[in-house]
Amino acid sequence: MNRYQGMVHSQARKAFLSEEEAEDFTQDVFIKAYESLSLFRGEAQFSTWLFQIAKFRLTKVNKKKSHIFTDWSEDVATVADKSKPSVVDILDKEETHLTLHSLIAKLPKSYQLPIRLHYFENKPLKEIANDLNIKLGTIKSHISRGKDLLRKWWSHEIEG
């Protein structure tokens, strides 16, 4: 945690208006990483894996806090105020959010729903398996394969 806390926290400071929210988010990311540690396969660097967890968690938080994007006039008026995100920051977050959702929409249907339910609605895997009447192992496999495709497509979006 000591090694990667600065990386996660610096991203959180860009995303939240208060230091308290940034600290809470940082802690949440490390808790989620700890809970998901058994899923880390070592195919990428640990820092890359942790950063992906942070990005997915941030997308979930942004969905809940969509009011950030609703009052453009207030944000335009406070561009010089460093305690609030700039219009560029807000547009960049919105573009990232839209890109992620458009990539998810490209996934096979069998991958989309488990990913949306798990990462955006925070449903446990067992609950998803029960709701969809699919074996838990299959749900885990669909999510893993979907994430692999998203990583691949995301890297093409960034490079392209």
Side-chain angles (χ1 to χ4, degrees):
M1 185 172 156
N2 291 335
R3 186 173 182 183
Y4 300 106
Q5 184 174 1
M7 174 189 76
V8 173
H9 189 73
S10 69
Q11 293 302 312
R13 284 296 298 141
K14 294 175 188 174
F16 296 97
L17 300 177
S18 75
E19 180 65 24
E20 183 179 324
E21 285 179 304
E23 289 174 1
D24 288 345
F25 176 79
T26 301
Q27 183 178 13
D28 183 48
V29 167
F30 280 99
I31 289 170
K32 186 64 177 174
Y34 179 76
E35 292 172 347
S36 304
L37 201 53
S38 64
L39 301 174
F40 178 65
R41 295 183 303 235
E43 295 173 356
Q45 291 183 349
F46 182 81
S47 59
T48 303
W49 180 76
L50 183 63
F51 191 71
Q52 290 299 318
I53 290 174
K55 283 176 26 179
F56 276 107
R57 305 292 295 171
L58 188 58
T59 301
K60 188 174 115 182
V61 168
N62 280 342
K63 188 174 182 181
K64 289 181 181 176
K65 293 187 165 200
S66 61
H67 68 276
I68 291 173
F69 303 111
T70 58
D71 192 355
W72 293 101
S73 60
E74 180 183 335
D75 290 318
V76 170
T78 59
V79 168
D81 182 358
K82 295 298 179 192
S83 67
K84 292 190 176 185
S86 71
V87 172
V88 172
D89 292 337
I90 291 169
L91 290 173
D92 196 32
K93 278 190 219 174
E94 187 174 63
E95 182 179 336
T96 299
H97 180 78
L98 292 172
T99 300
L100 177 61
H101 283 281
S102 71
L103 292 176
I104 291 172
K106 289 180 177 179
L107 289 171
K109 299 290 183 203
S110 60
Y111 298 172
Q112 282 183 36
L113 188 56
I115 285 175
R116 289 183 193 280
L117 292 172
H118 186 62
Y119 290 105
F120 296 100
E121 296 183 22
N122 204 26
K123 285 195 172 192
L125 295 176
K126 286 182 182 179
E127 186 178 330
I128 295 169
N130 287 336
D131 290 351
L132 299 178
N133 198 26
I134 299 173
K135 291 181 181 179
L136 180 60
T138 302
I139 292 295
K140 288 179 180 180
S141 176
H142 287 181
I143 289 174
S144 177
R145 290 176 186 166
K147 286 178 6 182
D148 288 345
L149 284 171
L150 289 171
R151 278 189 205 99
K152 178 181 168 185
W153 295 341
W154 188 265
S155 68
H156 287 105
E157 286 290 322
I158 293 171
E159 293 170 2

